[in-house]
Amino acid sequence: MQNKPIILGGQEIKPGTKKTILFAAPNIITQVKIDIPAHVFHSKKSGPILFICGSIHGDELNSIEIIRRIHTHLHTQHLSGTIITVPVVNVYGVMLQSRYLSDRRDLNRSFPGSKKGTLAARLAFGLMNQIVKHCDYGIDLHTGAYGRMNMPQLRVDFSTPGSKAFARSFNTPVILDSKQRDGSLRQAASDLQIPVLVYEGGEALRFNEICIRAGVIGIMNSLRYLKMIKTSGHNENKKYKSVITNMSRWVRAPASGLVEPVNDMLAKHVKKGQVLAYVHDPFLINPSVKVVAPFEGIVIGKALSAMNTEGDALFHIASFKKLSGVSAYIEEFRNEITSQ
């Protein structure tokens, strides 16, 4: 079937065209006008409408690079349906190189927003009404928070119809079936029955090539699943498939001091009671304290700081029923990504 023209931001986009729409956002404090670009790839052929957004947290720069690379693969003559990308949602945070908005609010705790609320609420309201409500699916790109590194993974709520198969198509080694966070974009979209994948990979304010490549490959896999593109994919004939869990937990520092990891634990299989790190007294008075794994699992995230305070999150471990399969897939996944 043939697509029909769509209207976004008061502008008509004809089938078979790519157009950049500028959505007005609240001015910065000097009253300089702010616009947020959204790129619309509107095919002549009918199909799903998918949004891909980045930098809801302003320090998550990996997401911008992932979308930039995705653009090189998108051509309206080879698409079915419509893809809308918003590389920079939180333009205020990007300018400040901050996770948060200039009012110190977290945009991803402000959805669905309101037209007359705070800066965060107004920005969330604009994204929901200008973009999200028009879509059938969404992909929200993130990294670890400042001072943390995440291995490539998805956060998905399987209670949203269609989300499980959509998540499996992305094909990261680990999928966390996680509850909705109040005020998140994922929750607001789920309330509209729009499945949204939250991709996590890398760290704040830095590019991570493996996580960028994994994000690009995952999105292309999902586009194939949605039959929006027809090119051959990296997820065909895979020996291993993504492993799902709903159980993960941060291991917290038992003492304050200097953290010495035993080795690079990220994406590694650890056993219950295994020593992950030592916390040393910087004054060399008290004995060092071990940080041990409370259960067997895979380390999917870690803190990067060499210093910590008692109670700080150090290692994020996910538990799985079939750990051997996860470990094997992670190794296959790493080899595939690095060979690209």
Side-chain angles (χ1 to χ4, degrees):
M1 294 179 61
Q2 293 295 306
N3 246 342
K4 297 179 180 180
I6 60 172
I7 296 178
L8 292 172
Q11 298 189 46
E12 182 180 84
I13 300 100
K14 295 180 179 179
T17 62
K18 175 193 178 293
K19 194 166 188 177
T20 300
I21 306 295
L22 300 178
F23 294 99
N27 296 344
I28 60 174
I29 196 168
T30 56
Q31 296 194 2
V32 173
K33 180 175 171 56
I34 293 290
D35 290 313
I36 299 176
H39 305 277
V40 185
F41 299 81
H42 189 45
S43 169
K44 289 184 178 181
K45 299 178 183 179
S46 63
I49 303 176
L50 166 77
F51 73 84
I52 307 171
C53 65
S55 294
I56 279 184
H57 293 131
D59 57 2
E60 297 179 337
L61 306 183
N62 263 5
S63 57
I64 302 173
E65 177 61 13
I66 289 171
I67 293 175
R68 187 191 71 80
R69 296 188 192 185
I70 286 293
H71 276 208
T72 66
H73 296 285
L74 300 182
H75 307 282
T76 54
Q77 64 269 33
H78 301 308
L79 285 176
S80 295
T82 305
I83 297 173
I84 305 169
T85 69
V86 188
V88 180
V89 175
N90 183 358
V91 62
Y92 311 93
V94 170
M95 288 189 294
L96 295 169
Q97 298 186 58
S98 168
R99 178 181 179 86
Y100 305 106
L101 289 152
S102 52
D103 62 1
R104 298 300 301 164
R105 286 183 168 86
D106 186 336
L107 179 58
N108 210 30
R109 298 294 179 269
S110 304
F111 287 92
S114 82
K115 192 173 183 179
K116 296 183 179 180
T118 64
L119 172 62
R122 293 176 189 224
L123 189 54
F125 180 85
L127 183 67
M128 287 297 300
N129 287 273
Q130 302 284 7
I131 303 291
V132 176
K133 286 185 177 180
H134 300 277
C135 297
D136 304 303
Y137 297 89
I139 300 176
D140 182 16
L141 302 172
H142 289 264
T143 72
Y146 183 76
R148 294 181 181 177
M149 167 77 83
N150 284 336
M151 68 168 281
Q153 60 193 267
L154 289 182
R155 312 280 175 88
V156 189
D157 180 3
F158 289 162
S159 67
T160 306
S163 63
K164 188 171 185 177
F166 186 32
R168 281 197 175 279
S169 73
F170 200 97
N171 215 38
T172 55
V174 173
I175 301 173
L176 294 180
D177 178 12
S178 61
K179 295 180 180 179
Q180 303 283 4
R181 289 286 187 93
D182 290 343
S184 68
L185 170 60
R186 181 162 61 105
Q187 181 191 54
S190 180
D191 289 343
L192 300 175
Q193 300 299 294
I194 301 170
V196 172
L197 307 182
V198 174
Y199 172 72
E200 294 270 358
E203 60 180 300
L205 296 176
R206 286 185 173 88
F207 282 170
N208 181 285
E209 184 62 25
I210 289 178
C211 294
I212 290 169
R213 292 183 186 182
V216 172
I217 291 173
I219 291 172
M220 298 303 290
N221 286 339
S222 292
L223 293 180
R224 277 183 283 272
Y225 162 75
L226 296 173
K227 298 182 179 179
M228 301 182 78
I229 59 173
K230 294 182 179 180
T231 58
S232 60
H234 294 83
N235 62 343
E236 296 173 358
N237 303 317
K238 297 281 278 184
K239 182 178 179 181
Y240 302 102
K241 294 183 179 180
S242 303
V243 181
I244 297 168
T245 183
N246 60 5
M247 197 285 183
S248 69
R249 174 177 145 197
W250 277 95
V251 180
R252 298 189 175 274
S256 301
L258 299 171
V259 181
E260 180 194 7
V262 172
N263 52 48
D264 185 4
M265 305 303 298
L266 193 65
K268 298 294 176 60
H269 175 191
V270 296
K271 296 182 178 180
K272 182 177 179 179
Q274 180 176 335
V275 177
L276 306 177
Y278 293 91
V279 180
H280 305 302
D281 176 4
F283 295 106
L284 309 181
I285 297 172
N286 298 308
S288 299
V289 179
K290 295 178 181 178
V291 180
V292 301
F295 54 84
E296 188 174 17
I298 300 292
V299 178
I300 62 172
K302 67 175 184 178
L304 298 172
S305 176
M307 298 190 70
N308 74 264
T309 302
E310 181 179 339
D312 285 351
L314 297 182
F315 299 97
H316 191 190
I317 303 178
S319 175
F320 301 89
K321 291 181 179 179
K322 296 181 180 179
L323 274 165
S324 58
V326 185
S327 300
Y329 183 30
I330 288 173
E331 188 60 32
E332 181 195 60
F333 184 84
R334 183 186 290 111
N335 292 337
E336 177 187 352
I337 296 297
T338 55
S339 67
Q340 297 301 309

